[in-house]
Amino acid sequence: MSSLLVDNIGELVTNGAGEGPLGIRRNAAVLIEEGRVAWVGPAAYAPAADRRVDAGGAAVLPGFVDSHAHLVFAGDRAAEFAARMAGQPYTGGGIRTTVGATRAASDDELRTTVRRLRGEALRQGTTTMEIKSGYGLTVADEARSLRIAAETSAETTFLGAHVVPAEYADRPDDYVGLVCGPMLAAAAPHAKWIDVFCERGAFDVDHARAILACGQAAGLGVRLHANQLGPGPGVLLGVELDAASVDHCTHLSDADVAALAGTAHSDGSGTRTVATLLPGAEFSTRSPYPDARRLLDAGVTVALATDCNPGSSYTSSMPFCVALAVREMRMTPAEAVRAATLGGARALRRDDIGVLTPGARADLVVLEAPSYLHLAYRPGVPLIRQVLLNGVPK
Ligand code: NIG
Ligand code: FE
């Protein structure tokens, strides 16, 4: 069994036992065996190992867990972004433009885009990335989107209910029937999750409930896009269906926050339904940011994710989202880093990632900085020196 010691770590974020909310240990080392963390402790007591990575006093943290990304698409919408920056509102109507380009693309074109974006994210410290379908919206195009996504990630999500495609515009009930029937049957073998864009202009609460319930019956876990563009019933529907995560949460009522807080685990480890905030979307649509403080103060587990997609948030950078969350959403740097690592893991109902404690997957990042604080303090700077994925330096 070959072992690797990451040694001479000035500041180790464990998200487990240690100082403060990030479980920090100083002058630490991490022993990795068989892709897993085997030991964490003071560098002075580090066991011998076959190989050694010298962190040189830098900070080390769990790899980022990006629990919300739409990577299977073709084309871009740079002109739509420019129009928005000149004052046009974001409505989600551009999704159909991307659907047209995606349907026209070959498998290899889609695969190349997924790999390019996954590679971009990896170089910025993302070790787990959820990938949604949702730009195919036919049985064949949703199935191939998920097949291609599954080549790159174990966290794949069927989003056949992203919008009602143009050919079904005047018969949305028929489209819901297609999603719940043949489309789900073709998608489910390649998907772990089901998602619906529950929003005015996309799917109403009855359609969303019907689709998510079909997905659940087919063995998929539930997550949804909720309360992004305005207040609505999405968050309450997510709680009703025991969703792992409700995503966006930009417009929340007191009842929404209370319902999320009511999903708290009895052991104090957070909420069963996570609120995933996607500040890249508010940045790129010039919209008000979600109220992270209100959620955190109510005890709701918060995750940060990129929402990487060609319309509302074309960034693959978790460090950028951390910096936005701190500067624009008043999260402390520690809260933001926790949300980008452990929060994302909770949003995917995973306990083997987002932490650096014995038994966890050895997914970790060595920063080009002495502290995690620099992720928000030095925005836009490439601070990821090295990434280890499953114990393997990338
Ligand atoms: O999460 N809101 C729905 N879906 C994406 C946007 C997709 C698009 O504009 O292409 C989102 O923001
Ligand atoms: Fe999204």
Side-chain angles (χ1 to χ4, degrees):
M1 182 166 57
S2 101
S3 57
L4 171 68
L5 186 72
V6 184
D7 201 2
N8 199 10
I9 301 170
E11 180 184 273
L12 175 67
V13 172
T14 68
N15 284 334
E19 176 194 311
L22 293 178
I24 286 180
R25 289 165 167 259
R26 307 211 179 262
N27 305 315
V30 176
L31 179 71
I32 298 168
E33 285 171 355
E34 304 288 310
R36 298 266 160 181
V37 174
W39 176 90
V40 175
Y45 299 109
D50 302 324
R51 287 173 304 139
R52 182 169 172 270
V53 168
D54 185 350
V60 168
L61 61 149
F64 297 117
V65 179
D66 185 353
S67 60
H68 184 137
H70 309 245
L71 304 190
V72 195
F73 64 84
D76 72 32
R77 285 161 37 211
E80 180 190 311
F81 174 76
R84 218 159 41 233
M85 293 305 106
Q88 294 289 315
Y90 174 78
T91 61
I95 294 172
R96 284 181 179 170
T97 307
T98 302
V99 168
T102 304
R103 288 177 179 175
S106 68
D107 289 7
D108 273 344
E109 284 167 317
L110 297 178
R111 186 171 284 123
T112 299
T113 297
V114 171
R115 289 188 183 160
R116 173 175 63 81
L117 294 169
R118 182 66 192 92
E120 247 179 49
L122 183 68
R123 290 191 294 280
Q124 296 171 91
T126 298
T127 48
T128 301
M129 196 168 193
E130 183 256 18
I131 304 179
K132 300 177 196 298
S133 66
Y135 292 113
L137 310 188
T138 65
V139 172
D141 286 308
E142 285 297 300
R144 76 167 174 148
S145 295
L146 286 162
R147 216 181 329 106
I148 290 167
E151 294 169 2
T152 298
S153 178
E155 302 292 345
T156 53
T157 300
F158 170 44
L159 181 58
H162 198 182
V163 288
V164 176
E167 63 276 17
Y168 281 90
D170 51 1
R171 42 191 186 111
D173 290 345
D174 290 354
Y175 186 65
V176 172
L178 179 74
V179 172
C180 289
M183 199 184 278
L184 174 62
H190 314 291
K192 181 166 172 188
W193 303 97
I194 185 160
D195 191 345
V196 170
F197 185 20
C198 182
E199 197 83 35
R200 187 165 300 155
F203 293 87
D204 67 21
V205 68
D206 294 328
H207 281 159
R209 182 185 286 106
I211 293 164
L212 294 169
C214 292
Q216 236 166 5
L220 305 184
V222 169
R223 47 201 325 104
L224 68 160
H225 284 70
N227 304 53
Q228 176 187 8
L229 305 177
V235 166
L236 292 180
L237 176 65
V239 170
E240 174 191 322
L241 296 178
D242 186 34
S245 178
V246 287
D247 297 32
H248 284 287
C249 293
T250 311
H251 299 269
L252 296 184
S253 67
D254 288 347
D256 294 328
V257 177
L260 287 168
T263 71
H265 292 284
S266 52
D267 63 1
S269 65
T271 52
R272 232 185 115 68
T273 299
V274 172
T276 298
L277 309 182
L278 308 165
E282 279 74 36
F283 177 89
S284 298
T285 60
R286 194 173 273 142
S287 303
Y289 288 91
D291 191 345
R293 285 256 56 86
R294 187 175 170 212
L295 289 161
L296 290 164
D297 294 347
V300 177
T301 299
V302 168
L304 286 171
T306 62
D307 197 13
C308 184
N309 77 79
S312 64
S313 182
Y314 202 5
T315 181
S316 55
S317 173
M318 288 294 280
F320 174 63
C321 295
V322 166
L324 283 181
V326 171
R327 173 63 181 83
E328 303 294 335
M329 290 155 56
R330 297 178 187 277
M331 291 174 75
T332 65
E335 286 168 339
V337 166
R338 192 175 158 93
T341 51
L342 186 60
R346 292 274 161 80
L348 295 170
R349 297 224 165 128
R350 296 271 301 265
D351 54 18
D352 59 330
I353 55 175
V355 291
L356 290 176
T357 51
R361 255 178 76 113
D363 290 348
L364 59 88
V365 165
V366 182
L367 293 187
E368 193 61 56
S371 169
Y372 73 89
L373 289 169
H374 287 231
L375 289 164
Y377 172 47
R378 306 203 62 215
V381 177
L383 290 181
I384 308 301
R385 183 195 297 166
Q386 189 165 29
V387 180
L388 270 70
L389 190 59
N390 219 5
V392 179
K394 289 286 147 184

